[in-house]
Amino acid sequence: MSLVLHAETDRARWLEAWRALPTREPFAHPDFVAMFAARGVRPLAAVDSGAIFPFLLRDLEAEHWTEPGENRRDVAVPYGYGGAFVTGPGVDPDLFWKRFDSWAHDHRVVCADARIFLQRDEVLPMSGWSEQPACDSAVVDLARYRALRDQSFSSSVRRNIRQAGRAGLTVAVEHDEAAWQAFREIYRATMDRRRATGSYYFTDAFFVRLHGLLGNLARLFVVRDASGEPLSGEVVLLGTTRAYSYLAGSTGPGRRSHANELCKGAVCDWLVRGPWQEFVLGGGNRPDDALLEYKLRFAPGGRRSYSTGSKVYDEAAYAELVRLRHAFHERERLEAHVPRRFPAYR
Protein backbone atom coordinates (compact mmCIF):
# COMPACT_ATOMS: atom_id res chain seq x y z
CA MET A 1 0.00 0.00 0.00
CA SER A 2 1.06 3.59 -0.48
CA LEU A 3 0.12 4.28 3.13
CA VAL A 4 -1.20 2.32 6.09
CA LEU A 5 -2.19 4.91 8.66
CA HIS A 6 -2.84 4.61 12.40
CA ALA A 7 -5.95 6.40 13.69
CA GLU A 8 -4.05 8.16 16.46
CA THR A 9 -0.45 8.66 15.33
CA ASP A 10 -1.39 9.44 11.71
CA ARG A 11 -4.70 11.18 12.40
CA ALA A 12 -3.97 14.33 10.36
CA ARG A 13 -3.10 12.41 7.19
CA TRP A 14 -6.08 10.09 7.69
CA LEU A 15 -8.40 13.09 8.07
CA GLU A 16 -7.05 14.51 4.83
CA ALA A 17 -8.05 11.30 3.03
CA TRP A 18 -11.45 11.21 4.80
CA ARG A 19 -12.24 14.79 3.77
CA ALA A 20 -11.87 13.74 0.13
CA LEU A 21 -14.80 11.36 0.65
CA PRO A 22 -17.88 13.16 -0.79
CA THR A 23 -20.32 11.77 1.79
CA ARG A 24 -17.91 11.93 4.76
CA GLU A 25 -19.07 8.55 6.05
CA PRO A 26 -18.55 8.24 9.82
CA PHE A 27 -17.26 4.67 9.43
CA ALA A 28 -14.20 5.99 7.58
CA HIS A 29 -13.31 8.64 10.18
CA PRO A 30 -10.19 7.95 12.30
CA ASP A 31 -11.95 8.84 15.56
CA PHE A 32 -14.66 6.27 14.83
CA VAL A 33 -12.18 3.49 14.07
CA ALA A 34 -10.09 4.47 17.11
CA MET A 35 -13.03 3.57 19.38
CA PHE A 36 -12.16 -0.09 18.82
CA ALA A 37 -8.50 0.16 19.82
CA ALA A 38 -7.63 -2.35 22.54
CA ARG A 39 -4.87 -4.69 23.60
CA GLY A 40 -3.80 -6.42 20.42
CA VAL A 41 -6.18 -4.38 18.22
CA ARG A 42 -4.81 -1.56 16.07
CA PRO A 43 -7.13 0.92 14.27
CA LEU A 44 -5.69 1.36 10.78
CA ALA A 45 -6.58 2.52 7.28
CA ALA A 46 -5.09 1.56 3.92
CA VAL A 47 -4.94 4.64 1.70
CA ASP A 48 -4.01 4.25 -1.95
CA SER A 49 -5.19 5.01 -5.49
CA GLY A 50 -8.16 7.20 -4.55
CA ALA A 51 -9.64 4.94 -1.88
CA ILE A 52 -9.50 4.46 1.89
CA PHE A 53 -10.10 1.13 3.65
CA PRO A 54 -10.50 1.49 7.45
CA PHE A 55 -9.86 -1.74 9.34
CA LEU A 56 -8.74 -3.33 12.58
CA LEU A 57 -5.54 -5.36 12.69
CA ARG A 58 -6.04 -7.94 15.44
CA ASP A 59 -3.21 -9.90 17.04
CA LEU A 60 -4.37 -13.47 17.58
CA GLU A 61 -2.04 -13.75 20.58
CA ALA A 62 -4.59 -11.61 22.45
CA GLU A 63 -7.20 -14.38 22.18
CA HIS A 64 -7.63 -16.47 25.32
CA TRP A 65 -7.41 -19.76 23.42
CA THR A 66 -4.13 -19.18 21.56
CA GLU A 67 -0.67 -20.13 22.81
CA PRO A 68 1.94 -17.60 24.00
CA GLY A 69 4.09 -16.50 21.09
CA GLU A 70 1.29 -16.71 18.52
CA ASN A 71 2.30 -14.12 15.91
CA ARG A 72 -0.49 -14.34 13.35
CA ARG A 73 -3.19 -11.73 12.86
CA ASP A 74 -6.50 -11.14 11.17
CA VAL A 75 -8.32 -8.12 9.76
CA ALA A 76 -11.87 -6.95 10.46
CA VAL A 77 -14.04 -3.92 9.79
CA PRO A 78 -15.25 -2.11 12.95
CA TYR A 79 -18.86 -2.64 14.02
CA GLY A 80 -20.87 -0.86 11.34
CA TYR A 81 -20.42 -0.81 7.57
CA GLY A 82 -17.14 -0.80 5.68
CA GLY A 83 -15.10 -1.47 2.59
CA ALA A 84 -12.70 0.62 0.54
CA PHE A 85 -14.47 3.99 0.27
CA VAL A 86 -13.82 5.80 -3.02
CA THR A 87 -12.21 9.22 -2.53
CA GLY A 88 -11.25 10.03 -6.13
CA PRO A 89 -11.76 9.11 -9.79
CA GLY A 90 -10.01 6.43 -11.81
CA VAL A 91 -9.56 3.92 -9.01
CA ASP A 92 -8.38 0.44 -10.06
CA PRO A 93 -10.00 -1.96 -7.55
CA ASP A 94 -7.90 -4.93 -8.66
CA LEU A 95 -4.69 -2.98 -8.07
CA PHE A 96 -5.90 -1.61 -4.71
CA TRP A 97 -6.74 -5.05 -3.34
CA LYS A 98 -3.61 -6.61 -4.84
CA ARG A 99 -1.52 -4.10 -2.91
CA PHE A 100 -3.52 -4.71 0.25
CA ASP A 101 -3.08 -8.48 -0.19
CA SER A 102 0.67 -7.99 -0.38
CA TRP A 103 0.63 -5.90 2.80
CA ALA A 104 -1.51 -8.53 4.54
CA HIS A 105 0.89 -11.33 3.64
CA ASP A 106 3.84 -9.27 4.90
CA HIS A 107 2.05 -8.78 8.24
CA ARG A 108 1.09 -12.46 8.73
CA VAL A 109 -2.63 -11.82 8.25
CA VAL A 110 -4.51 -15.12 8.06
CA CYS A 111 -7.88 -13.80 6.90
CA ALA A 112 -10.10 -10.73 6.68
CA ASP A 113 -13.81 -10.05 6.95
CA ALA A 114 -15.99 -7.01 6.34
CA ARG A 115 -19.58 -5.84 6.59
CA ILE A 116 -19.86 -4.22 3.18
CA PHE A 117 -21.21 -0.67 2.86
CA LEU A 118 -24.81 -0.57 1.60
CA GLN A 119 -24.22 1.96 -1.18
CA ARG A 120 -22.05 -0.29 -3.32
CA ASP A 121 -21.18 2.34 -5.94
CA GLU A 122 -19.38 4.33 -3.22
CA VAL A 123 -16.96 1.55 -2.29
CA LEU A 124 -14.60 -0.45 -4.48
CA PRO A 125 -15.69 -3.89 -5.71
CA MET A 126 -14.29 -6.49 -3.32
CA SER A 127 -11.90 -8.02 -5.85
CA GLY A 128 -10.69 -11.42 -4.69
CA TRP A 129 -13.06 -11.56 -1.70
CA SER A 130 -15.95 -13.97 -1.22
CA GLU A 131 -19.31 -12.30 -0.63
CA GLN A 132 -22.26 -13.73 1.27
CA PRO A 133 -25.77 -12.26 1.48
CA ALA A 134 -26.57 -11.16 5.03
CA CYS A 135 -29.64 -9.78 6.77
CA ASP A 136 -31.21 -6.95 4.78
CA SER A 137 -31.27 -3.43 6.22
CA ALA A 138 -34.15 -0.98 6.62
CA VAL A 139 -33.52 2.53 5.24
CA VAL A 140 -35.84 5.50 5.78
CA ASP A 141 -36.15 7.71 2.68
CA LEU A 142 -36.02 11.16 4.26
CA ALA A 143 -37.32 12.89 1.11
CA ARG A 144 -40.46 10.81 1.49
CA TYR A 145 -40.58 11.62 5.19
CA ARG A 146 -40.27 15.35 4.46
CA ALA A 147 -43.33 15.09 2.23
CA LEU A 148 -45.47 12.76 4.34
CA ARG A 149 -44.02 13.00 7.86
CA ASP A 150 -45.24 10.13 10.04
CA GLN A 151 -47.76 9.13 7.37
CA SER A 152 -44.75 7.43 5.77
CA PHE A 153 -44.62 5.04 8.76
CA SER A 154 -46.89 2.05 9.23
CA SER A 155 -50.22 2.62 10.97
CA SER A 156 -49.06 0.74 14.08
CA VAL A 157 -46.02 3.01 14.45
CA ARG A 158 -48.16 6.13 14.05
CA ARG A 159 -50.58 4.88 16.69
CA ASN A 160 -47.77 4.12 19.14
CA ILE A 161 -46.17 7.54 18.61
CA ARG A 162 -49.48 9.24 19.40
CA GLN A 163 -49.88 7.16 22.56
CA ALA A 164 -46.37 8.07 23.71
CA GLY A 165 -47.08 11.76 23.14
CA ARG A 166 -50.33 11.61 25.09
CA ALA A 167 -48.45 9.96 27.97
CA GLY A 168 -46.22 13.03 28.24
CA LEU A 169 -43.02 11.51 26.83
CA THR A 170 -40.54 13.95 25.27
CA VAL A 171 -37.38 13.57 23.16
CA ALA A 172 -34.29 15.78 23.15
CA VAL A 173 -30.69 15.72 21.97
CA GLU A 174 -28.57 15.44 25.12
CA HIS A 175 -24.79 15.20 25.36
CA ASP A 176 -24.02 15.85 29.04
CA GLU A 177 -22.33 13.26 31.24
CA ALA A 178 -25.47 12.40 33.23
CA ALA A 179 -27.48 11.65 30.09
CA TRP A 180 -24.60 9.62 28.67
CA GLN A 181 -24.29 7.48 31.78
CA ALA A 182 -28.05 6.94 31.83
CA PHE A 183 -27.89 5.79 28.21
CA ARG A 184 -25.03 3.39 28.97
CA GLU A 185 -27.06 1.78 31.75
CA ILE A 186 -30.12 1.49 29.51
CA TYR A 187 -28.05 0.03 26.67
CA ARG A 188 -26.42 -2.60 28.87
CA ALA A 189 -29.74 -3.64 30.41
CA THR A 190 -31.19 -3.95 26.90
CA MET A 191 -28.34 -6.21 25.78
CA ASP A 192 -28.80 -8.32 28.93
CA ARG A 193 -32.51 -8.66 28.23
CA ARG A 194 -31.89 -9.68 24.63
CA ARG A 195 -29.13 -12.11 25.67
CA ALA A 196 -26.83 -10.43 23.18
CA THR A 197 -23.50 -11.95 22.21
CA GLY A 198 -20.29 -10.58 23.69
CA SER A 199 -19.55 -8.44 20.63
CA TYR A 200 -22.37 -6.06 21.65
CA TYR A 201 -20.83 -5.39 25.07
CA PHE A 202 -18.34 -2.66 24.28
CA THR A 203 -15.46 -1.60 26.51
CA ASP A 204 -15.42 1.42 28.82
CA ALA A 205 -12.78 2.98 26.55
CA PHE A 206 -15.12 2.56 23.58
CA PHE A 207 -17.91 4.46 25.35
CA VAL A 208 -15.54 7.22 26.44
CA ARG A 209 -14.45 7.72 22.83
CA LEU A 210 -18.02 7.49 21.51
CA HIS A 211 -19.10 10.16 23.99
CA GLY A 212 -16.35 12.32 22.51
CA LEU A 213 -17.97 12.05 19.07
CA LEU A 214 -21.26 13.59 20.26
CA GLY A 215 -21.83 16.98 18.70
CA ASN A 216 -19.58 16.09 15.76
CA LEU A 217 -20.03 12.68 14.13
CA ALA A 218 -22.88 11.61 16.40
CA ARG A 219 -25.92 12.68 18.41
CA LEU A 220 -27.60 11.11 21.44
CA PHE A 221 -31.41 11.27 21.51
CA VAL A 222 -32.99 10.63 24.91
CA VAL A 223 -36.66 9.95 25.67
CA ARG A 224 -37.91 10.97 29.12
CA ASP A 225 -41.24 10.57 30.86
CA ALA A 226 -43.20 13.44 32.39
CA SER A 227 -41.12 13.24 35.59
CA GLY A 228 -37.83 13.44 33.66
CA GLU A 229 -36.89 9.77 34.04
CA PRO A 230 -34.93 8.47 30.99
CA LEU A 231 -36.81 5.68 29.24
CA SER A 232 -34.96 5.21 25.97
CA GLY A 233 -31.91 6.41 24.09
CA GLU A 234 -30.39 6.17 20.64
CA VAL A 235 -26.97 7.11 19.27
CA VAL A 236 -27.14 8.29 15.65
CA LEU A 237 -24.01 8.56 13.49
CA LEU A 238 -23.87 11.29 10.85
CA GLY A 239 -22.31 11.58 7.42
CA THR A 240 -23.10 14.46 5.08
CA THR A 241 -26.02 12.71 3.34
CA ARG A 242 -26.83 9.68 5.52
CA ALA A 243 -27.47 9.06 9.19
CA TYR A 244 -27.20 5.71 10.93
CA SER A 245 -28.95 4.27 13.96
CA TYR A 246 -25.92 2.90 15.80
CA LEU A 247 -26.73 1.97 19.41
CA ALA A 248 -30.12 2.02 21.10
CA GLY A 249 -31.86 0.74 24.19
CA SER A 250 -34.94 1.16 26.35
CA THR A 251 -36.20 0.35 29.82
CA GLY A 252 -39.20 -1.84 30.57
CA PRO A 253 -41.48 1.19 31.08
CA GLY A 254 -40.01 2.68 27.92
CA ARG A 255 -40.98 -0.34 25.85
CA ARG A 256 -44.48 -0.38 27.28
CA SER A 257 -44.98 3.34 26.60
CA HIS A 258 -43.57 3.13 23.03
CA ALA A 259 -40.55 5.33 23.74
CA ASN A 260 -38.59 3.68 20.92
CA GLU A 261 -41.13 4.62 18.27
CA LEU A 262 -41.33 8.18 19.58
CA CYS A 263 -37.53 8.40 19.48
CA LYS A 264 -37.25 7.18 15.87
CA GLY A 265 -39.89 9.68 14.81
CA ALA A 266 -38.07 12.50 16.60
CA VAL A 267 -34.78 11.53 14.95
CA CYS A 268 -36.46 11.71 11.53
CA ASP A 269 -37.92 15.14 12.43
CA TRP A 270 -34.45 16.34 13.40
CA LEU A 271 -32.76 14.93 10.29
CA VAL A 272 -35.17 16.48 7.78
CA ARG A 273 -34.22 19.92 9.09
CA GLY A 274 -30.72 19.24 7.75
CA PRO A 275 -29.14 17.89 4.54
CA TRP A 276 -29.63 14.20 5.23
CA GLN A 277 -31.32 12.02 2.61
CA GLU A 278 -31.43 8.62 4.30
CA PHE A 279 -31.68 7.24 7.82
CA VAL A 280 -30.23 3.72 7.96
CA LEU A 281 -31.85 1.65 10.71
CA GLY A 282 -29.88 -1.55 10.11
CA GLY A 283 -31.30 -5.05 9.99
CA GLY A 284 -32.13 -8.00 12.17
CA ASN A 285 -30.15 -10.81 13.73
CA ARG A 286 -31.42 -13.32 11.18
CA PRO A 287 -33.05 -12.94 7.76
CA ASP A 288 -36.65 -11.74 8.03
CA ASP A 289 -36.74 -11.88 11.82
CA ALA A 290 -39.00 -9.81 14.07
CA LEU A 291 -36.37 -7.10 14.52
CA LEU A 292 -36.09 -6.43 10.78
CA GLU A 293 -39.88 -6.52 10.44
CA TYR A 294 -40.14 -3.92 13.23
CA LYS A 295 -37.60 -1.61 11.56
CA LEU A 296 -39.34 -1.87 8.20
CA ARG A 297 -42.47 -0.37 9.80
CA PHE A 298 -40.55 2.92 9.75
CA ALA A 299 -39.39 2.36 6.16
CA PRO A 300 -42.07 0.65 4.06
CA GLY A 301 -40.40 -0.09 0.74
CA GLY A 302 -37.01 0.75 2.25
CA ARG A 303 -35.52 -2.72 2.32
CA ARG A 304 -31.87 -2.71 1.19
CA SER A 305 -29.77 -5.80 0.47
CA TYR A 306 -26.58 -6.19 2.43
CA SER A 307 -23.57 -8.50 2.17
CA THR A 308 -20.51 -9.50 4.12
CA GLY A 309 -17.13 -10.18 2.57
CA SER A 310 -14.37 -12.57 3.58
CA LYS A 311 -10.94 -13.56 2.37
CA VAL A 312 -8.50 -16.24 3.53
CA TYR A 313 -4.85 -15.41 2.87
CA ASP A 314 -3.39 -18.59 4.37
CA GLU A 315 -5.65 -21.65 4.11
CA ALA A 316 -3.38 -23.90 6.18
CA ALA A 317 -3.07 -21.37 8.99
CA TYR A 318 -6.83 -20.76 8.96
CA ALA A 319 -7.58 -24.49 9.27
CA GLU A 320 -5.01 -24.80 12.06
CA LEU A 321 -6.61 -21.94 14.02
CA VAL A 322 -10.03 -23.57 13.72
CA ARG A 323 -8.55 -26.82 15.09
CA LEU A 324 -6.78 -24.95 17.91
CA ARG A 325 -10.02 -23.28 18.99
CA HIS A 326 -11.90 -26.58 19.10
CA ALA A 327 -9.01 -28.30 20.88
CA PHE A 328 -8.93 -25.56 23.54
CA HIS A 329 -12.62 -26.08 24.31
CA GLU A 330 -12.16 -29.84 24.55
CA ARG A 331 -9.07 -29.52 26.76
CA GLU A 332 -10.76 -27.06 29.10
CA ARG A 333 -14.00 -29.08 29.05
CA LEU A 334 -15.94 -26.11 27.74
CA GLU A 335 -19.07 -26.14 25.65
CA ALA A 336 -18.22 -26.87 22.02
CA HIS A 337 -17.32 -23.77 20.04
CA VAL A 338 -20.05 -22.94 17.52
CA PRO A 339 -18.99 -20.13 15.15
CA ARG A 340 -21.68 -17.53 14.48
CA ARG A 341 -19.93 -16.00 11.49
CA PHE A 342 -16.59 -15.81 9.71
CA PRO A 343 -13.88 -16.48 10.79
CA ALA A 344 -14.84 -19.86 12.24
CA TYR A 345 -12.23 -19.71 15.00
CA ARG A 346 -13.77 -16.60 16.62
Side-chain angles (χ1 to χ4, degrees), residues 62-100:
E63 297 299 311
H64 67 280
W65 50 271
T66 58
E67 297 291 336
E70 172 64 67
N71 63 357
R72 291 170 291 197
R73 305 179 175 101
D74 63 16
V75 159
V77 163
Y79 176 62
Y81 299 106
F85 294 91
V86 177
T87 59
V91 186
D92 183 340
D94 292 337
L95 180 59
F96 180 93
W97 290 116
K98 183 178 179 180
R99 288 174 173 169
F100 185 78

Side-chain angles (χ1 to χ4, degrees), residues 38-58:
R39 185 179 72 88
V41 180
R42 277 166 279 181
L44 304 176
V47 181
D48 192 19
S49 305
I52 178 171
F53 174 47
F55 66 96
L56 304 174
L57 182 64
R58 306 184 296 190

Side-chain angles (χ1 to χ4, degrees), residues 121 170 195:
D121 61 343
T170 57
R195 298 180 180 178

Side-chain angles (χ1 to χ4, degrees), residues 78-267:
Y79 176 62
Y81 299 106
F85 294 91
V86 177
T87 59
V91 186
D92 183 340
D94 292 337
L95 180 59
F96 180 93
W97 290 116
K98 183 178 179 180
R99 288 174 173 169
F100 185 78
D101 292 350
S102 177
W103 181 91
H105 283 295
D106 289 345
H107 288 78
R108 297 184 61 83
V109 173
V110 174
C111 63
D113 79 293
R115 301 173 182 87
I116 305 173
F117 190 61
L118 292 175
Q119 199 67 27
R120 296 300 297 268
D121 61 343
E122 296 180 15
V123 291
L124 295 182
M126 305 292 286
S127 301
W129 291 56
S130 298
E131 292 191 30
Q132 303 82 32
C135 301
D136 291 347
S137 288
V139 181
V140 177
D141 180 347
L142 292 174
R144 186 170 186 266
Y145 186 83
R146 282 185 180 92
L148 300 175
R149 295 291 167 160
D150 66 1
Q151 291 298 309
S152 64
F153 298 157
S154 72
S155 59
S156 63
V157 168
R158 296 197 303 271
R159 181 174 61 252
N160 290 343
I161 288 175
R162 289 194 297 270
Q163 289 179 7
R166 287 196 295 268
L169 274 60
T170 57
V171 189
V173 175
E174 301 187 31
H175 294 164
D176 61 84
E177 184 65 27
W180 184 245
Q181 291 306 318
F183 169 73
R184 285 193 61 179
E185 292 173 9
I186 290 172
Y187 175 79
R188 183 174 184 87
T190 301
M191 295 303 102
D192 289 346
R193 186 183 73 249
R194 293 178 177 172
R195 298 180 180 178
T197 61
S199 61
Y200 290 97
Y201 289 88
F202 301 102
T203 65
D204 289 342
F206 169 93
F207 280 105
V208 168
R209 289 179 180 270
L210 181 55
H211 189 206
L213 298 186
L214 298 181
N216 182 18
L217 293 178
R219 300 291 188 276
L220 171 64
F221 292 80
V222 179
V223 181
R224 296 181 182 272
D225 65 15
S227 69
E229 186 70 18
L231 300 179
S232 176
E234 182 165 359
V235 174
V236 177
L237 298 179
L238 302 172
T240 55
T241 62
R242 297 183 195 91
Y244 301 86
S245 176
Y246 193 60
L247 300 182
S250 62
T251 64
R255 294 195 309 280
R256 291 189 290 274
S257 58
H258 308 299
N260 290 334
E261 289 93 329
L262 184 68
C263 190
K264 286 280 193 297
V267 172

